[in-house]
Amino acid sequence: MAVLRPHLALTVTDVERAIPFYEALFGVTPEKVKPGYAKFSVAEPAMNFTLNQGERAELGAFNHAGIQLASTDDVLAAKLRLTKAGLAAFDEMDTTCCYAKQDKIWVRDPDGTPWEVFVTHADADEEGDGGPQAAEAASCC
């Protein structure tokens, strides 16, 4: 499995207000800015870091974590490994999320923290409406 970089998503109350702080913290400008969303590709430490505008609720500022992989085959191999370990992994293939076309799965840690394992195929103009709740709901019905 070829891991490209860890992914961390934070919920902030105002993305535009938060961007200057994270530019200063990481020393890079965001590579993508959309309404309510900003994505930073940080070289050191290697990280896909996003800001998602919204209310801080269940997880506080933490939105979700993820691991970006090189291909859909890598995502499916990770799903197989997770399900063999007895974990529930929920598909969200051929989806638009975070202004990108992606294939992904979702899994939750023992405390309910959502993790995504994903590959990005292309940028998109729309934000999308996926996420762990949508993937879990789609698999149960």
CSV table of all heavy atoms in Angstrom, one decimal, residues 44-94:
chain,number,residue,atom,x,y,z
A,44,GLU,N,6.1,19.5,4.9
A,44,GLU,CA,6.8,19.1,6.1
A,44,GLU,C,6.0,19.5,7.3
A,44,GLU,O,6.0,20.7,7.6
A,44,GLU,CB,8.2,19.6,6.2
A,44,GLU,CG,9.2,19.1,5.1
A,44,GLU,CD,9.5,17.6,5.3
A,44,GLU,OE1,9.5,17.2,6.5
A,44,GLU,OE2,9.7,16.9,4.4
A,45,PRO,N,5.4,18.7,8.1
A,45,PRO,CA,5.3,17.2,7.8
A,45,PRO,C,4.3,17.0,6.7
A,45,PRO,O,3.3,17.7,6.5
A,45,PRO,CB,4.7,16.7,9.2
A,45,PRO,CG,3.9,17.8,9.7
A,45,PRO,CD,4.7,19.1,9.3
A,46,ALA,N,4.5,15.9,6.0
A,46,ALA,CA,3.7,15.6,4.8
A,46,ALA,C,2.2,15.4,5.3
A,46,ALA,O,2.0,14.5,6.2
A,46,ALA,CB,4.2,14.3,4.1
A,47,MET,N,1.3,16.2,4.8
A,47,MET,CA,-0.1,16.2,5.3
A,47,MET,C,-1.0,16.8,4.3
A,47,MET,O,-0.7,17.8,3.7
A,47,MET,CB,-0.2,16.9,6.7
A,47,MET,CG,-1.5,16.9,7.2
A,47,MET,SD,-1.6,17.6,8.9
A,47,MET,CE,-0.5,19.0,8.9
A,48,ASN,N,-2.2,16.2,4.2
A,48,ASN,CA,-3.3,16.8,3.4
A,48,ASN,C,-4.2,17.4,4.5
A,48,ASN,O,-4.8,16.6,5.3
A,48,ASN,CB,-4.0,15.7,2.6
A,48,ASN,CG,-5.3,16.1,2.0
A,48,ASN,OD1,-6.0,17.0,2.5
A,48,ASN,ND2,-5.7,15.4,1.0
A,49,PHE,N,-4.2,18.7,4.7
A,49,PHE,CA,-4.9,19.4,5.8
A,49,PHE,C,-6.0,20.2,5.2
A,49,PHE,O,-5.8,21.0,4.3
A,49,PHE,CB,-3.9,20.3,6.5
A,49,PHE,CG,-4.5,21.0,7.7
A,49,PHE,CD1,-4.7,20.4,8.9
A,49,PHE,CD2,-4.9,22.3,7.5
A,49,PHE,CE1,-5.2,21.1,10.0
A,49,PHE,CE2,-5.4,23.0,8.6
A,49,PHE,CZ,-5.6,22.4,9.8
A,50,THR,N,-7.3,20.0,5.7
A,50,THR,CA,-8.4,20.8,5.2
A,50,THR,C,-9.1,21.5,6.4
A,50,THR,O,-9.1,21.0,7.5
A,50,THR,CB,-9.4,20.0,4.5
A,50,THR,OG1,-9.9,19.0,5.3
A,50,THR,CG2,-8.8,19.3,3.2
A,51,LEU,N,-9.7,22.7,6.0
A,51,LEU,CA,-10.6,23.4,6.9
A,51,LEU,C,-12.0,23.3,6.3
A,51,LEU,O,-12.2,23.5,5.1
A,51,LEU,CB,-10.2,24.9,6.9
A,51,LEU,CG,-8.7,25.2,7.4
A,51,LEU,CD1,-8.4,26.7,7.2
A,51,LEU,CD2,-8.6,24.8,8.9
A,52,ASN,N,-12.9,22.9,7.2
A,52,ASN,CA,-14.3,22.8,6.8
A,52,ASN,C,-15.2,23.7,7.7
A,52,ASN,O,-15.1,23.5,8.9
A,52,ASN,CB,-14.8,21.3,6.9
A,52,ASN,CG,-14.0,20.4,6.1
A,52,ASN,OD1,-14.3,20.1,5.0
A,52,ASN,ND2,-12.9,19.9,6.7
A,53,GLN,N,-15.9,24.6,7.1
A,53,GLN,CA,-16.7,25.6,7.8
A,53,GLN,C,-17.9,24.9,8.4
A,53,GLN,O,-18.6,24.2,7.6
A,53,GLN,CB,-17.0,26.8,7.0
A,53,GLN,CG,-17.6,27.9,7.8
A,53,GLN,CD,-17.6,29.2,7.0
A,53,GLN,OE1,-16.6,29.6,6.5
A,53,GLN,NE2,-18.8,29.8,6.8
A,54,GLY,N,-18.2,25.1,9.6
A,54,GLY,CA,-19.4,24.6,10.2
A,54,GLY,C,-19.5,24.8,11.7
A,54,GLY,O,-18.6,25.4,12.3
A,55,GLU,N,-20.5,24.2,12.3
A,55,GLU,CA,-20.6,24.3,13.8
A,55,GLU,C,-19.7,23.2,14.4
A,55,GLU,O,-19.7,22.1,13.9
A,55,GLU,CB,-22.0,24.1,14.2
A,55,GLU,CG,-22.9,25.3,13.8
A,55,GLU,CD,-24.3,25.1,14.3
A,55,GLU,OE1,-24.5,24.5,15.4
A,55,GLU,OE2,-25.3,25.6,13.6
A,56,ARG,N,-19.1,23.5,15.5
A,56,ARG,CA,-18.3,22.6,16.2
A,56,ARG,C,-19.3,21.8,17.2
A,56,ARG,O,-19.8,22.4,18.1
A,56,ARG,CB,-17.2,23.3,17.0
A,56,ARG,CG,-16.2,23.9,16.2
A,56,ARG,CD,-15.3,24.7,17.0
A,56,ARG,NE,-14.1,25.0,16.3
A,56,ARG,CZ,-12.9,25.1,16.8
A,56,ARG,NH1,-12.7,24.9,18.1
A,56,ARG,NH2,-11.9,25.4,16.0
A,57,ALA,N,-19.4,20.6,16.9
A,57,ALA,CA,-20.4,19.8,17.6
A,57,ALA,C,-19.8,18.6,18.3
A,57,ALA,O,-18.8,18.7,19.1
A,57,ALA,CB,-21.6,19.4,16.7
A,58,GLU,N,-20.2,17.4,17.9
A,58,GLU,CA,-19.8,16.1,18.5
A,58,GLU,C,-18.3,16.0,18.7
A,58,GLU,O,-17.9,15.6,19.7
A,58,GLU,CB,-20.4,15.1,17.6
A,58,GLU,CG,-20.0,13.7,17.8
A,58,GLU,CD,-20.6,12.7,16.8
A,58,GLU,OE1,-21.7,12.9,16.4
A,58,GLU,OE2,-19.8,11.8,16.4
A,59,LEU,N,-17.5,16.3,17.7
A,59,LEU,CA,-16.1,16.1,17.8
A,59,LEU,C,-15.3,17.4,18.0
A,59,LEU,O,-14.1,17.4,17.9
A,59,LEU,CB,-15.5,15.4,16.5
A,59,LEU,CG,-16.1,14.0,16.2
A,59,LEU,CD1,-15.6,13.6,14.8
A,59,LEU,CD2,-15.6,13.1,17.2
A,60,GLY,N,-16.0,18.5,18.4
A,60,GLY,CA,-15.4,19.8,18.5
A,60,GLY,C,-14.8,20.2,17.2
A,60,GLY,O,-15.5,20.2,16.2
A,61,ALA,N,-13.6,20.7,17.2
A,61,ALA,CA,-12.9,21.2,16.0
A,61,ALA,C,-12.5,20.0,15.1
A,61,ALA,O,-12.4,20.2,13.9
A,61,ALA,CB,-11.7,22.0,16.3
A,62,PHE,N,-12.3,18.9,15.6
A,62,PHE,CA,-11.9,17.7,14.8
A,62,PHE,C,-13.1,17.3,13.9
A,62,PHE,O,-14.2,17.0,14.4
A,62,PHE,CB,-11.5,16.6,15.7
A,62,PHE,CG,-11.0,15.4,15.0
A,62,PHE,CD1,-9.7,15.4,14.4
A,62,PHE,CD2,-11.7,14.3,14.9
A,62,PHE,CE1,-9.2,14.3,13.7
A,62,PHE,CE2,-11.3,13.2,14.2
A,62,PHE,CZ,-10.0,13.2,13.6
A,63,ASN,N,-12.9,17.1,12.6
A,63,ASN,CA,-13.9,16.7,11.7
A,63,ASN,C,-13.7,15.2,11.4
A,63,ASN,O,-14.6,14.4,11.6
A,63,ASN,CB,-13.8,17.6,10.5
A,63,ASN,CG,-15.0,17.3,9.5
A,63,ASN,OD1,-15.0,16.3,8.8
A,63,ASN,ND2,-15.9,18.3,9.4
A,64,HIS,N,-12.6,14.8,10.8
A,64,HIS,CA,-12.3,13.4,10.6
A,64,HIS,C,-10.8,13.3,10.2
A,64,HIS,O,-10.2,14.3,10.0
A,64,HIS,CB,-13.1,12.9,9.5
A,64,HIS,CG,-12.9,13.4,8.1
A,64,HIS,ND1,-13.5,14.6,7.7
A,64,HIS,CD2,-12.1,13.0,7.1
A,64,HIS,CE1,-13.1,14.9,6.5
A,64,HIS,NE2,-12.2,14.0,6.1
A,65,ALA,N,-10.3,12.1,10.2
A,65,ALA,CA,-8.9,11.9,9.7
A,65,ALA,C,-9.0,11.0,8.5
A,65,ALA,O,-10.0,10.3,8.3
A,65,ALA,CB,-8.1,11.2,10.9
A,66,GLY,N,-7.9,10.9,7.8
A,66,GLY,CA,-7.9,10.0,6.6
A,66,GLY,C,-6.5,9.7,6.2
A,66,GLY,O,-5.5,10.3,6.7
A,67,ILE,N,-6.4,8.7,5.3
A,67,ILE,CA,-5.2,8.3,4.7
A,67,ILE,C,-5.4,8.4,3.2
A,67,ILE,O,-6.3,7.6,2.7
A,67,ILE,CB,-4.8,6.9,5.1
A,67,ILE,CG1,-4.6,6.9,6.7
A,67,ILE,CG2,-3.5,6.5,4.4
A,67,ILE,CD1,-4.3,5.5,7.2
A,68,GLN,N,-4.7,9.2,2.5
A,68,GLN,CA,-4.8,9.3,1.0
A,68,GLN,C,-3.8,8.3,0.4
A,68,GLN,O,-2.7,8.2,0.7
A,68,GLN,CB,-4.4,10.7,0.6
A,68,GLN,CG,-4.6,11.0,-0.9
A,68,GLN,CD,-4.4,12.4,-1.3
A,68,GLN,OE1,-3.9,13.2,-0.5
A,68,GLN,NE2,-4.7,12.7,-2.5
A,69,LEU,N,-4.4,7.5,-0.5
A,69,LEU,CA,-3.6,6.5,-1.2
A,69,LEU,C,-3.5,6.8,-2.7
A,69,LEU,O,-4.1,7.8,-3.2
A,69,LEU,CB,-4.3,5.1,-1.0
A,69,LEU,CG,-4.5,4.7,0.4
A,69,LEU,CD1,-5.3,3.4,0.5
A,69,LEU,CD2,-3.2,4.5,1.1
A,70,ALA,N,-2.7,6.0,-3.4
A,70,ALA,CA,-2.4,6.3,-4.8
A,70,ALA,C,-3.5,5.8,-5.8
A,70,ALA,O,-3.6,6.3,-6.9
A,70,ALA,CB,-1.1,5.6,-5.1
A,71,SER,N,-4.3,4.8,-5.4
A,71,SER,CA,-5.2,4.2,-6.4
A,71,SER,C,-6.5,3.6,-5.7
A,71,SER,O,-6.4,3.3,-4.5
A,71,SER,CB,-4.5,3.1,-7.2
A,71,SER,OG,-4.3,2.0,-6.4
A,72,THR,N,-7.5,3.4,-6.5
A,72,THR,CA,-8.7,2.7,-6.0
A,72,THR,C,-8.3,1.3,-5.6
A,72,THR,O,-8.9,0.8,-4.6
A,72,THR,CB,-9.8,2.7,-7.1
A,72,THR,OG1,-10.1,4.0,-7.4
A,72,THR,CG2,-11.0,1.9,-6.6
A,73,ASP,N,-7.4,0.6,-6.3
A,73,ASP,CA,-7.0,-0.7,-5.8
A,73,ASP,C,-6.4,-0.7,-4.4
A,73,ASP,O,-6.7,-1.6,-3.6
A,73,ASP,CB,-6.0,-1.3,-6.8
A,73,ASP,CG,-6.6,-1.7,-8.1
A,73,ASP,OD1,-7.8,-1.9,-8.2
A,73,ASP,OD2,-5.9,-1.9,-9.1
A,74,ASP,N,-5.6,0.4,-4.1
A,74,ASP,CA,-5.1,0.5,-2.8
A,74,ASP,C,-6.2,0.7,-1.7
A,74,ASP,O,-6.1,0.2,-0.6
A,74,ASP,CB,-4.1,1.7,-2.7
A,74,ASP,CG,-2.8,1.4,-3.4
A,74,ASP,OD1,-2.5,0.3,-3.7
A,74,ASP,OD2,-2.2,2.4,-3.8
A,75,VAL,N,-7.2,1.5,-2.1
A,75,VAL,CA,-8.4,1.7,-1.2
A,75,VAL,C,-9.1,0.3,-0.9
A,75,VAL,O,-9.4,0.0,0.2
A,75,VAL,CB,-9.4,2.7,-1.8
A,75,VAL,CG1,-10.6,2.8,-1.0
A,75,VAL,CG2,-8.7,4.1,-1.9
A,76,LEU,N,-9.3,-0.4,-2.0
A,76,LEU,CA,-10.0,-1.7,-1.8
A,76,LEU,C,-9.2,-2.7,-1.1
A,76,LEU,O,-9.7,-3.5,-0.3
A,76,LEU,CB,-10.4,-2.3,-3.2
A,76,LEU,CG,-11.4,-1.4,-4.0
A,76,LEU,CD1,-11.6,-2.0,-5.4
A,76,LEU,CD2,-12.7,-1.3,-3.2
A,77,ALA,N,-7.8,-2.7,-1.2
A,77,ALA,CA,-7.0,-3.5,-0.4
A,77,ALA,C,-7.0,-3.1,1.1
A,77,ALA,O,-7.1,-4.0,1.9
A,77,ALA,CB,-5.5,-3.4,-0.9
A,78,ALA,N,-7.1,-1.9,1.3
A,78,ALA,CA,-7.2,-1.4,2.7
A,78,ALA,C,-8.6,-1.9,3.3
A,78,ALA,O,-8.7,-2.3,4.5
A,78,ALA,CB,-7.1,0.1,2.8
A,79,LYS,N,-9.6,-1.8,2.5
A,79,LYS,CA,-11.0,-2.3,3.0
A,79,LYS,C,-10.9,-3.7,3.3
A,79,LYS,O,-11.4,-4.2,4.3
A,79,LYS,CB,-12.0,-2.0,1.9
A,79,LYS,CG,-13.4,-2.5,2.3
A,79,LYS,CD,-14.4,-2.4,1.2
A,79,LYS,CE,-15.7,-3.0,1.7
A,79,LYS,NZ,-16.8,-2.9,0.7
A,80,LEU,N,-10.3,-4.5,2.5
A,80,LEU,CA,-10.2,-6.0,2.7
A,80,LEU,C,-9.4,-6.2,4.0
A,80,LEU,O,-9.8,-7.0,4.8
A,80,LEU,CB,-9.5,-6.7,1.5
A,80,LEU,CG,-9.3,-8.2,1.6
A,80,LEU,CD1,-10.6,-8.9,1.7
A,80,LEU,CD2,-8.5,-8.7,0.5
A,81,ARG,N,-8.3,-5.5,4.2
A,81,ARG,CA,-7.5,-5.7,5.5
A,81,ARG,C,-8.4,-5.3,6.7
A,81,ARG,O,-8.4,-6.0,7.7
A,81,ARG,CB,-6.3,-4.8,5.4
A,81,ARG,CG,-5.3,-5.0,6.5
A,81,ARG,CD,-4.1,-4.1,6.4
A,81,ARG,NE,-4.4,-2.7,6.6
A,81,ARG,CZ,-4.4,-1.8,5.6
A,81,ARG,NH1,-4.2,-2.2,4.3
A,81,ARG,NH2,-4.7,-0.5,5.8
A,82,LEU,N,-9.2,-4.2,6.6
A,82,LEU,CA,-10.0,-3.8,7.7
A,82,LEU,C,-11.1,-4.7,8.0
A,82,LEU,O,-11.4,-5.1,9.2
A,82,LEU,CB,-10.5,-2.4,7.4
A,82,LEU,CG,-9.5,-1.3,7.4
A,82,LEU,CD1,-10.0,0.0,6.8
A,82,LEU,CD2,-9.0,-1.0,8.9
A,83,THR,N,-11.8,-5.2,7.0
A,83,THR,CA,-12.9,-6.1,7.2
A,83,THR,C,-12.4,-7.5,7.7
A,83,THR,O,-13.1,-8.1,8.5
A,83,THR,CB,-13.8,-6.3,5.9
A,83,THR,OG1,-13.0,-6.7,4.8
A,83,THR,CG2,-14.5,-5.0,5.6
A,84,LYS,N,-11.2,-7.9,7.2
A,84,LYS,CA,-10.6,-9.2,7.8
A,84,LYS,C,-10.3,-9.1,9.2
A,84,LYS,O,-10.3,-10.1,10.0
A,84,LYS,CB,-9.4,-9.6,7.0
A,84,LYS,CG,-9.6,-10.2,5.7
A,84,LYS,CD,-8.4,-10.7,5.0
A,84,LYS,CE,-8.6,-11.5,3.8
A,84,LYS,NZ,-7.4,-12.0,3.1
A,85,ALA,N,-10.1,-7.8,9.7
A,85,ALA,CA,-9.8,-7.6,11.1
A,85,ALA,C,-11.1,-7.4,11.9
A,85,ALA,O,-11.1,-7.2,13.1
A,85,ALA,CB,-9.0,-6.3,11.3
A,86,GLY,N,-12.2,-7.6,11.2
A,86,GLY,CA,-13.5,-7.6,11.9
A,86,GLY,C,-14.1,-6.2,12.0
A,86,GLY,O,-15.1,-6.0,12.8
A,87,LEU,N,-13.6,-5.2,11.3
A,87,LEU,CA,-14.1,-3.9,11.4
A,87,LEU,C,-15.1,-3.6,10.2
A,87,LEU,O,-14.9,-4.1,9.1
A,87,LEU,CB,-12.9,-2.9,11.3
A,87,LEU,CG,-11.9,-3.0,12.4
A,87,LEU,CD1,-10.7,-2.2,12.1
A,87,LEU,CD2,-12.5,-2.7,13.7
A,88,ALA,N,-16.1,-2.8,10.5
A,88,ALA,CA,-17.0,-2.4,9.5
A,88,ALA,C,-16.5,-1.3,8.7
A,88,ALA,O,-16.1,-0.2,9.2
A,88,ALA,CB,-18.3,-1.9,10.2
A,89,ALA,N,-16.4,-1.5,7.4
A,89,ALA,CA,-15.9,-0.5,6.4
A,89,ALA,C,-17.0,-0.1,5.5
A,89,ALA,O,-17.6,-1.0,4.9
A,89,ALA,CB,-14.6,-1.0,5.7
A,90,PHE,N,-17.3,1.1,5.3
A,90,PHE,CA,-18.4,1.6,4.5
A,90,PHE,C,-17.9,2.3,3.2
A,90,PHE,O,-17.1,3.2,3.3
A,90,PHE,CB,-19.3,2.5,5.3
A,90,PHE,CG,-19.8,1.9,6.6
A,90,PHE,CD1,-19.1,2.1,7.8
A,90,PHE,CD2,-20.9,1.1,6.6
A,90,PHE,CE1,-19.5,1.5,8.9
A,90,PHE,CE2,-21.3,0.5,7.8
A,90,PHE,CZ,-20.6,0.7,8.9
A,91,ASP,N,-18.4,1.8,2.1
A,91,ASP,CA,-18.0,2.3,0.8
A,91,ASP,C,-18.6,3.6,0.5
A,91,ASP,O,-19.8,3.9,0.8
A,91,ASP,CB,-18.4,1.3,-0.4
A,91,ASP,CG,-17.7,0.0,-0.4
A,91,ASP,OD1,-16.7,-0.1,0.4
A,91,ASP,OD2,-18.0,-0.8,-1.2
A,92,GLU,N,-17.8,4.4,-0.2
A,92,GLU,CA,-18.3,5.7,-0.8
A,92,GLU,C,-17.5,5.9,-2.1
A,92,GLU,O,-16.7,6.8,-2.2
A,92,GLU,CB,-18.1,6.9,0.2
A,92,GLU,CG,-18.9,8.1,-0.2
A,92,GLU,CD,-18.8,9.2,0.8
A,92,GLU,OE1,-18.0,9.2,1.7
A,92,GLU,OE2,-19.6,10.1,0.6
A,93,MET,N,-17.8,5.0,-3.0
A,93,MET,CA,-17.1,5.0,-4.3
A,93,MET,C,-17.7,6.0,-5.3
A,93,MET,O,-18.9,6.2,-5.2
A,93,MET,CB,-17.0,3.6,-4.9
A,93,MET,CG,-16.3,2.6,-4.0
A,93,MET,SD,-14.6,3.0,-3.9
A,93,MET,CE,-14.1,1.8,-2.7
A,94,ASP,N,-16.9,6.5,-6.2
A,94,ASP,CA,-17.4,7.4,-7.3
A,94,ASP,C,-18.2,8.5,-6.7
A,94,ASP,O,-19.3,8.7,-7.0
A,94,ASP,CB,-18.1,6.6,-8.3
A,94,ASP,CG,-18.4,7.4,-9.6
A,94,ASP,OD1,-17.6,8.3,-9.9
A,94,ASP,OD2,-19.4,7.2,-10.2
